[in-house]
Amino acid sequence: MHAPTIAGRGFQHYGTWLLEQHPDQVDGFAALLQAEGGGETGAPETKINPIPRDLYHTDWVADRTIAFLDTLADEDDWFVWMSFPDPHHPWDPPAAERKRVPWQDIDLPPGHPGTPDAIRDVLAQKPPHWLAFYEGTWRNVEGGPGTFRPGTLTDDQLREINALTHVMNELIDEACGRVLDAVGRRGWTDDTDVFCTTDHGELQGDYGLLFKGPFHVDALMRVRLIWRPAPSARVTPSEVREPVGHLDLASTFCAIAGVEPAEWMQGSELPTAPGSRRERALCEWDSQFPGYGMHLRSIYRDGWLCTAYERSTIGEPNGLEDFLALLPERAAQRLGLTDGGPRSSVAYDGTEGELYRVDEDPWQFRNLWDDPGYRGVRSDLVADLYDSLPAAREPRLPVARPA
């Protein structure tokens, strides 16, 4: 997880290990989801962390992976899912590594409109929770600290956060290199497929915003996906620009292993070269908190990104309310989940949406959803979206825990 402790208790495997083996290092981390300022600029969820690099969770995850590989015989088949908490808030890598990327040398990201007025002009074109998040009248509890107001960010704070993100990425690169070296020492490289991807993006100053949430734009949805097929497969390296998605990974793993995918699996085997004729990628958002009830459905096709907002279901039970009722009061207060959980100040009636011509508007600044000149495009994409969405599971699984 992204912090070793919650309310003083070890959080998941790394936190439990650090608290037991190196309790003096726990307090160097920033608090998770509290938006407390720190670092050199007072940036939220940022802290100068004195922890030695070899005790930080990036190297710890690589160490655990190598230790597992060392338990295997040379002839064993294996699969490893190596998941790093970084790059992610809190931004608190080891202090000794901060000098790798001086934040003073970092530019604002190209997706930043430039000034507060320009930010408001861009966000005002989007559904209301975008601008309300920036101004602090809508709490983004499903994507970051509920108390955070993006409008308070300074340019230097964004620079420091992005510099620390670069540091986190460099540490991950080096940790992956150690693991791949371990694979090579065992003589497995020629038969090993390697994938590198992530579960979501980060706003990181795009639109003047920070963290993540129900914002279906490239900053959060268009993420890295690198697949290096096993060299023994003799696949020519290619850049495949057709739209693909994470749902395709499971079927790809099955194909590599030589087994049939389960009937219930969605997605299909990833292409290894251009020319797959893939037309679209889909993405969905359904709120975990019943008091938010947001439902977004997106399609990317032919250079267009279209997101339909379905009717909000604020207050309708989804299962999470049972979990919230069992939380100890102290933990609920710490996480801001008292009184049945948070409630959205914005509701949608199902007519709202976003439409962007990504090739011409790569940062998705101009929302064409209500532009009469693009009504036909919008209708076509929305119809394709719902024709292409797999049938929902019935009955739906209840939300058992907040993510």
Side-chain angles (χ1 to χ4, degrees):
M1 285 301 294
H2 309 291
T5 60
I6 292 290
R9 300 180 62 181
F11 195 29
Q12 304 286 14
H13 298 95
Y14 172 72
T16 301
W17 172 82
L18 191 66
L19 199 60
E20 291 177 350
Q21 302 295 324
H22 303 279
D24 57 318
Q25 299 296 333
V26 170
D27 292 337
F29 289 83
L32 179 65
L33 295 175
Q34 301 303 304
E36 295 172 356
E40 297 180 31
T41 65
E45 302 230 354
T46 302
K47 196 170 181 180
I48 299 175
N49 188 352
I51 191 169
R53 173 178 171 173
D54 62 339
L55 301 183
Y56 188 64
H57 42 66
T58 295
D59 276 5
W60 183 87
V61 167
D63 291 342
R64 302 283 73 72
T65 305
I66 294 170
F68 167 73
L69 294 174
D70 286 344
T71 68
L72 302 175
D74 289 346
E75 65 275 11
D76 285 344
D77 291 328
W78 50 268
F79 175 93
V80 169
W81 186 289
M82 181 172 62
S83 183
F84 298 99
D86 285 348
H88 198 281
H89 64 96
W91 294 279
D92 51 8
E97 306 299 327
R98 290 172 61 96
K99 62 182 180 294
R100 291 169 175 250
V101 185
W103 64 262
Q104 296 89 343
D105 298 340
I106 297 294
D107 293 329
L108 290 178
H112 190 290
T115 66
D117 286 343
I119 290 170
R120 290 186 175 91
D121 287 344
V122 169
L123 298 183
Q125 300 177 43
K126 303 176 185 291
H129 75 283
W130 283 85
L131 182 57
F133 176 36
Y134 180 75
E135 295 182 334
T137 58
W138 179 83
R139 296 195 300 150
N140 183 26
V141 298
E142 296 191 304
T147 58
F148 173 65
R149 296 181 59 182
T152 64
L153 280 171
T154 69
D155 291 350
D156 280 350
Q157 288 173 346
L158 285 175
R159 290 187 177 97
E160 183 176 19
I161 286 169
N162 282 317
L164 294 175
T165 300
H166 293 319
V167 171
M168 290 173 166
N169 285 334
E170 286 193 9
L171 295 179
I172 290 171
D173 285 345
E174 292 165 10
C176 289
R178 287 204 295 122
V179 173
L180 292 176
D181 285 346
V183 170
R185 287 193 297 271
R186 299 297 299 274
W188 290 329
T189 297
D190 200 47
D191 294 320
T192 300
D193 288 75
V194 179
F195 293 81
C196 180
T197 189
T198 184
D199 54 347
H200 58 76
E202 225 285 352
L203 289 164
Q204 287 185 241
D206 284 3
Y207 315 101
L209 304 178
L210 201 60
F211 302 108
K212 56 185 183 298
F215 309 103
H216 275 195
V217 288
D218 276 15
L220 296 185
M221 297 194 305
R222 187 176 183 181
V223 300
R224 78 177 80 169
L225 174 54
I226 301 169
W227 173 19
R228 191 216 67 182
S232 60
R234 304 188 186 282
V235 175
T236 302
S238 300
E239 180 181 357
V240 179
R241 302 187 64 84
E242 289 96 316
V244 299
H246 281 141
L247 284 176
D248 298 319
L249 289 172
S251 294
T252 305
F253 297 158
C254 288
I256 291 168
V259 298
E260 289 296 319
E263 290 183 3
W264 47 263
M265 282 185 180
Q266 299 171 8
S268 56
E269 185 180 351
L270 287 166
T272 57
S276 67
R277 298 185 179 179
R278 287 177 176 242
E279 295 182 277
R280 63 187 63 78
L282 308 177
C283 189
E284 299 181 87
W285 173 283
D286 290 294
S287 285
Q288 58 186 333
F289 291 120
Y292 268 61
M294 295 183 67
H295 307 280
L296 281 61
R297 306 286 182 263
S298 293
I299 182 171
Y300 174 84
R301 195 199 75 192
D302 299 330
W304 289 95
L305 175 59
C306 178
T307 301
Y309 283 57
E310 297 185 344
R311 181 186 66 85
S312 295
T313 56
I314 294 176
E316 295 182 17
N318 67 1
L320 189 66
E321 62 280 352
D322 297 332
F323 167 77
L324 296 177
L326 297 175
L327 275 180
E329 183 176 355
R330 183 184 176 194
Q333 290 175 345
R334 179 75 173 171
L335 297 173
L337 301 179
T338 55
D339 300 322
R343 198 172 184 90
S344 176
S345 59
V346 174
Y348 293 109
D349 63 17
T351 63
E352 302 86 354
E354 299 176 55
L355 178 65
Y356 306 104
R357 179 67 184 178
V358 178
D359 295 344
E360 299 174 1
D361 180 20
W363 309 113
Q364 293 101 63
F365 281 179
R366 184 184 175 208
N367 184 12
L368 304 172
W369 180 266
D370 290 321
D371 189 320
Y374 295 92
R375 194 159 294 160
V377 174
R378 187 184 90 181
S379 297
D380 173 57
L381 288 168
V382 170
D384 189 7
L385 166 66
Y386 284 99
D387 285 344
S388 302
L389 277 173
R393 178 191 177 113
E394 292 295 342
R396 288 178 177 260
L397 293 174
V399 179
R401 297 288 187 274

